Amino acid sequence: EDTYDFGGWATRNDLVCADGRIIRRNAFQVNDGQKVPLVWNHKHDNSENVLGHALLENRPEGVYAYGKFNDTESGQNAKKLVHNGDIDALSIWANDLKQNGANVTHGVIRELSLVLS
C-alpha cells in the first residue's frame, strides 16, 4: 500500500466555490477509491506539471484526498513547499457535471491541483 505525503479536502460539500457552484453530497461518489493526477495550478498541458497522484475518498462532508508526490524535481519541490506550509490549498478540475441551478449533483474529478490560497 502507498504511503501518502499529505492529506486534505479536495472539495467540501455545501460551500460556494470560486466559480459560484455548490458541490452537494455524493456529487463525486464515482471517484471514491480512484487515483487522479496531482498537478500544479490546473496546468495539465505539460508532463512536468504532474507532481504525483491523489487517492480520492468520498466522505459525507466531501471528497478527501491522499497525495503522493513523485520523485521528479518538480514533485520533490512541491513536497517541500507543502511540508513547509507554503502551499496549503487544493482545487479540483472536474467534468461531466450535472447541475440543478448552482448545485452540482454529479461530476467526475479528473485532476487535483495544488494552488496558492
Side-chain angles (χ1 to χ4, degrees), residues 32-47:
D32 188 46
Q34 289 187 340
K35 285 183 184 178
V36 296
L38 178 66
V39 303
W40 171 249
N41 206 31
H42 296 295
K43 292 185 167 75
H44 42 247
D45 57 348
N46 183 324
S47 64

Side-chain angles (χ1 to χ4, degrees), residues 57-111:
E57 183 178 273
N58 190 57
R59 295 184 180 178
E61 308 95 325
V63 178
Y64 197 83
Y66 298 94
K68 175 79 173 163
F69 293 107
N70 61 35
D71 200 25
T72 62
E73 188 177 339
S74 58
Q76 290 304 298
N77 182 57
K79 182 177 181 177
K80 289 174 187 169
L81 294 171
V82 168
H83 284 195
N84 196 49
D86 303 319
I87 304 288
D88 62 0
L90 295 169
S91 177
I92 62 169
W93 181 75
N95 62 9
D96 295 338
L97 298 181
K98 291 184 182 155
Q99 287 185 227
N100 181 0
N103 297 301
V104 175
T105 57
H106 174 81
V108 180
I109 297 171
R110 302 296 182 182
E111 55 105 313

